[in-house]
Amino acid sequence: MKKDEFKLSKPLNHIAFIMDGNGRWAKKRLLPRTAGHKEGCKRIIENIRTCKKLGIKVVSLYAFSTENWNRPQKEIDLLFEYLKDFFNDYIDEFIETGVQIRVSGDIFRLPVDTQEVIKKGLELTKNLDSFIFNICLNYGSRQEIIRGIKNYVKLVKENKVNEDDLTIDTFKDYLYTSGLPEVDLLIRTSGEERLSNFMLYQLAYSEFVFTDTYWPDFKEKELYECLKEYESRDRRYGKIVEKEE
């Protein structure tokens, strides 16, 4: 199959990636771990372009978790340098192609210069609506849920909302992903099969695909294989679906 022949046959509005295996990719090649992160940045833009071409509306990427602060400081510093370079390198493309940048997570612990680049990207693309690139930075889903609860409790105390108005659907408005469609598909690379505190609320009815491919090797062909697996799934949402005889 030629790479341009793939077409989605099932609705897929929101795809999320846990980009794993950068360090192992580099180690396998006797390179420093940071080389894997640098190569991984190339896959980010490539996969965004492919998803946009396929008509997917939202891509969420788990770029830096609340637990990643436990890594060596030198690696953390380089990660944020690569992140800053990524925004600077592709902001013009995002603007030209209608990509809105969103951030999930608390970015105020990030280096100030990185924060400024991110804020600039958010401002420049806030009115664009052909595609949403949601990057998760200093993000942890448990922390996100607690933050949402605290925000709601504060509004209750201020008599701005009624506690009985809180439902599964209204609570979504207090998460970082407020306004985004449900995640249809989660892909995690590198062979790990866990969520690692990522979008626990948002992934309640998502399909999961785990691939052994390291993120720096996760190119268009690998994405298509995961999408074919997604299309083979029968999404019933707890219902019994009678098959026609």
Side-chain angles (χ1 to χ4, degrees), residues 23-38:
R24 279 166 284 171
W25 180 90
K27 183 178 180 181
K28 188 176 179 181
R29 290 160 176 75
L30 304 179
L31 297 170
R33 285 175 52 85
T34 51
H37 297 310
K38 190 170 186 178

Side-chain angles (χ1 to χ4, degrees), residues 181-194:
E182 296 284 334
V183 179
D184 297 299
L185 172 63
L186 168 76
I187 296 174
R188 180 167 187 161
T189 58
S190 87
E192 305 293 350
E193 298 185 3
R194 56 179 177 269

Side-chain angles (χ1 to χ4, degrees), residues 17 43-54 56 59 61 86 93-94 99 131-134 215 223:
F17 293 95
R43 301 295 89 76
I44 292 175
I45 191 62
E46 290 172 6
N47 282 294
I48 287 174
R49 289 167 178 163
T50 300
C51 289
K52 192 171 187 297
K53 177 178 66 176
L54 290 171
I56 297 168
V59 166
L61 296 176
F86 176 86
E93 177 179 335
F94 288 158
V99 176
F131 184 88
I132 293 175
F133 167 43
N134 176 42
W215 178 254
L223 175 58

Side-chain angles (χ1 to χ4, degrees), residues 38-118:
K38 190 170 186 178
E39 184 67 20
C41 285
K42 299 176 184 177
R43 301 295 89 76
I44 292 175
I45 191 62
E46 290 172 6
N47 282 294
I48 287 174
R49 289 167 178 163
T50 300
C51 289
K52 192 171 187 297
K53 177 178 66 176
L54 290 171
I56 297 168
K57 299 299 184 184
V58 183
V59 166
S60 291
L61 296 176
Y62 202 10
F64 193 87
S65 75
T66 50
E67 290 75 25
N68 286 154
W69 294 106
N70 295 319
R71 294 185 177 188
Q73 188 60 47
K74 183 178 179 180
E75 179 176 339
I76 292 172
D77 292 342
L78 281 171
L79 273 170
F80 290 132
E81 282 298 315
Y82 295 154
L83 176 65
K84 190 170 63 174
D85 291 343
F86 176 86
F87 275 88
N88 284 327
D89 289 344
Y90 297 110
I91 186 62
D92 289 341
E93 177 179 335
F94 288 158
I95 294 170
E96 290 169 9
T97 58
V99 176
Q100 180 188 128
I101 299 169
R102 284 190 52 164
V103 173
S104 292
D106 180 6
I107 68 170
F108 294 103
R109 190 177 171 184
L110 275 55
V112 173
D113 56 345
T114 304
Q115 288 184 45
E116 292 304 314
V117 170
I118 292 170

Side-chain angles (χ1 to χ4, degrees), residues 8-27:
L8 283 167
S9 61
K10 285 187 177 181
L12 203 174
N13 292 313
H14 189 170
I15 185 169
F17 293 95
I18 299 178
M19 306 177 291
D20 202 8
N22 292 342
R24 279 166 284 171
W25 180 90
K27 183 178 180 181

